[in-house]
């Protein structure tokens, strides 16, 4: 394919992965296949034996739509390209990724006079890309924007080397190969903050439920506290691993979501290729900690992880089943705490927990639906629900919540409470405080005013903190 040369300046050629895009197309496509149809990965070794280009072509076909239209762009590079295009310069895309992805990317921006990409036979990377561009434009007949080690052979034959998000080692290597080097986009700052955000440590507060068996049974000894703390850490590490897996699986949908598109992997603050290590590292550490305590705790923590993945990949889009699954996962945390400490949990606690957390799961969905109703735009189905379902979901939340209050009220006069508490009648105060808190949460959710998961919201809400302190006070008075 021949392209018309500009008489003003040499052609400007830009790389894609990590340069124009803040992500890697091949990695994203491979992840899409791994999550959607993992059995297709069995064909990859045979394809790789034929070469990288056939493998990329096959993965492109297997992955299908990976959301090219919403992938994060390096806006600084786009601004630079737009300015050069305005000056009348010819601009081209050149990528080692398959042309099945590069063509729609070029169409998305509308800036390019042509594309060069892997075509199923030739892997257009490194020396191959350099040779292709020299054949087209001549040596020193083009400028090139890149960011990685694979771009070094291209910079060596380009007139000018432009660097975008290139680390210092690559910048130094580029300067050794080309006398004219210009940085148009500085490398991103340390990814530590983005990694912490992807691990979502603020969500760890949900795992304080592992302390509940110890507290409910009034086992305040050091051994129970240490065992519960170890279970908390193990569960939190595994939860962080699950959040990373979930984000990698939902890249395309998150980028089309008003708030989720700001997540580290969706926004391009973190490269998806890092996600594998970010998921496996905490998982291995969490399971190792659980195993150090007992094989029973290892089984519980591992079971929780598998159940959470089942929710993420199979149940979270199922009408009503999703809230049952969420309620079960919350209650399962109590079981983890019971196994860690050896405390026998009463059926009263499990009954209360299932109704209570089912209510909060419904609250979460009601809040999401209320927000959709409040926002301008089409009222489309989300996770099996339609925005107009908000009324019935809110009613179910109220019903489940006050069933939990009823269970607590019935527990006050039960033989179990009388045997455990000195003055169980003080627990009536906890019933009224809990009823108040639930009523307030129901109203806020129906308005769409909850900024996060109800439990996460409660830890940052003054009225919720006061209510929690009130429940704790009545529990303490009952125990005296």
């Amino acid at each position: 394919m021949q392209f018309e040369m500009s008489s003003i300046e040499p052609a400007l050629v830009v790389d894609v992965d990590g340069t124009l895009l803040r992500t890697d197309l091949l990695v994203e496509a491979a992840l899409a296949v791994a999550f959607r149809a993992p059995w297709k990965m069995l064909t990859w070794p045979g394809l790789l034996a034929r070469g990288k280009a056939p493998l990329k072509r096959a993965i492109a076909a297997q992955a299908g739509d990976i959301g090219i239209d919403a992938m994060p762009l390096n806006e600084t590079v786009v601004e630079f390209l737009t300015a050069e295009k305005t000056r009348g310069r010819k601009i081209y895309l050149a990528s080692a990724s398959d042309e099945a992805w590069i063509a729609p990317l070029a169409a998305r921006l509308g800036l390019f006079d042509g594309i060069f990409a892997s075509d199923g036979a030739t892997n257009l990377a490194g020396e191959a890309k350099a040779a292709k561009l020299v054949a087209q434009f001549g040596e020193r007949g083009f400028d090139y924007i890149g960011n990685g080690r694979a771009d070094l052979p291209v910079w060596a034959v380009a007139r000018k080397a432009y660097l975008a998000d290139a680390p210092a080692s690559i910048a130094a290597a580029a300067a050794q190969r080309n006398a004219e080097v210009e940085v148009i986009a500085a490398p991103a700052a340390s990814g530590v903050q983005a990694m912490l955000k992807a691990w979502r440590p603020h969500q760890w507060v949900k795992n304080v439920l592992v302390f509940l068996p110890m507290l409910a049974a009034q086992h305040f000894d050091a051994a129970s506290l240490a065992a519960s703390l170890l279970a908390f850490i193990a569960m939190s590490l595994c939860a962080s691993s699950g959040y990373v897996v979930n984000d990698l699986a939902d890249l395309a949908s998150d980028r089309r979501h008003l708030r989720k598109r700001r997540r580290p992997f969706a926004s391009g603050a973190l490269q998806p290729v890092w996600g594998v290590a970010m998921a496996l590292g905490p998982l291995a550490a969490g399971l190792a900690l659980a195993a150090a305590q007992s094989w029973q705790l290892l089984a519980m923590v591992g079971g929780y992880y598998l159940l959470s993945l089942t929710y993420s990949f199979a149940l979270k889009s199922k009408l009503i089943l999703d809230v049952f699954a969420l309620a079960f996962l919350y209650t399962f945390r109590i079981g983890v705490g019971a196994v860690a400490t050896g405390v026998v949990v009463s059926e009263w606690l499990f009954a209360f927990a299932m109704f209570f957390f089912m209510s909060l799961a419904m609250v979460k969905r009601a809040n999401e639906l209320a927000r959709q109703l409040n926002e301008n735009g089409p009222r489309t189905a989300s996770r099996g629900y339609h925005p107009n379902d908000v009324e019935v979901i809110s009613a179910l939340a109220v019903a489940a919540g006050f069933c939990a209050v009823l269970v607590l009220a019935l527990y006050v006069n039960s033989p179990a409470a009388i045997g455990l508490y000195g003055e169980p009648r003080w627990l009536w105060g906890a019933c009224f405080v809990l009823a108040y808190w639930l009523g307030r949460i129901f109203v806020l959710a129906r308005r769409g005013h909850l900024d996060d998961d109800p439990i996460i919201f409660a830890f940052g809400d003054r009225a919720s903190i006061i209510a929690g302190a009130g429940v704790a006070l009545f529990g303490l008075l009952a125990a005296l």
Side-chain angles (χ1 to χ4, degrees), residues 195-394:
M195 292 172 68
L196 289 174
K197 185 177 180 181
W199 279 322
R200 303 183 206 173
H202 66 284
Q203 297 279 3
W204 293 357
V205 297
K206 299 176 183 178
N207 294 319
V208 300
L209 291 171
V210 301
F211 291 94
L212 193 55
M214 177 192 78
L215 296 174
Q218 301 180 30
H219 285 205
F220 301 120
D221 55 282
S224 295
L225 178 60
S228 296
L229 182 60
L230 186 146
F232 171 82
I233 297 172
M235 288 286 287
S236 297
L237 289 170
C238 289
S240 286
S241 170
Y243 294 137
V244 171
V245 172
N246 182 73
D247 285 355
L248 293 176
D250 291 345
L251 280 172
S253 60
D254 282 355
R255 286 171 180 150
R256 295 184 173 93
H257 192 279
L258 184 63
R259 289 171 294 277
K260 294 179 181 179
R261 65 188 179 190
R262 293 191 288 269
R263 288 177 173 175
F265 291 108
S267 67
L270 285 177
Q271 290 288 322
V273 69
W274 299 356
V276 177
M278 288 179 60
L280 292 179
L283 175 62
L287 294 178
L289 278 177
Q293 171 79 0
S294 68
W295 69 265
Q296 293 94 336
L297 183 59
L298 172 63
M300 290 294 287
V301 173
Y304 169 82
Y305 188 77
L306 293 176
L307 288 170
S308 65
L309 291 184
T310 300
Y311 166 76
S312 294
F313 293 112
L315 299 178
K316 73 178 180 182
S317 60
K318 303 298 183 182
L319 182 69
I320 302 300
L321 278 178
D322 64 328
V323 293
F324 275 87
L326 278 176
F328 181 76
L329 284 170
Y330 276 117
T331 307
F332 196 90
R333 290 174 168 93
I334 299 174
V336 171
V339 169
T341 57
V343 172
V344 177
V345 177
S346 73
E347 294 180 358
W348 287 102
L349 179 56
F350 277 127
F352 170 82
M354 276 303 297
F355 281 117
F356 181 72
F357 292 120
M358 192 180 301
S359 175
L360 294 190
M362 293 284 188
V363 162
K364 183 176 181 179
R365 291 291 176 263
N367 183 69
E368 293 170 352
L369 297 175
R371 284 195 166 200
Q372 287 189 41
L373 286 172
N374 295 339
E375 293 169 357
N376 294 325
R379 297 180 180 181
T380 57
S382 175
R383 289 191 174 183
Y385 297 91
H386 190 279
N388 291 334
D389 296 333
V390 66
E391 302 300 341
V392 68
I393 297 301
S394 298

Side-chain angles (χ1 to χ4, degrees), residues 103-154:
L105 176 62
R108 170 186 172 183
L109 293 175
L111 291 171
F112 303 102
D113 297 282
I115 64 172
F116 304 94
S118 297
D119 57 7
T122 301
N123 181 44
L124 203 69
E127 298 289 353
K129 183 188 287 187
K132 181 70 173 180
L133 295 178
V134 168
Q136 179 62 49
F137 303 112
E139 189 166 345
R140 310 296 176 188
F142 63 97
D143 295 341
Y144 182 75
I145 309 174
N147 78 306
R149 189 162 300 280
D151 298 312
L152 293 175
V154 186

Side-chain angles (χ1 to χ4, degrees), residues 25-45 47 55-66 101 248-252 313:
L25 290 167
L26 180 60
V27 172
E28 296 231 1
L31 287 171
V33 175
F35 288 121
R36 298 173 190 170
W39 59 89
K40 293 182 179 179
M41 297 170 65
L42 297 174
T43 64
W44 293 358
L47 290 164
L55 175 62
K56 292 178 180 179
R57 174 57 54 91
I59 291 177
Q62 293 171 353
D65 181 17
I66 58 173
W101 300 316
L248 293 176
D250 291 345
L251 280 172
F313 293 112

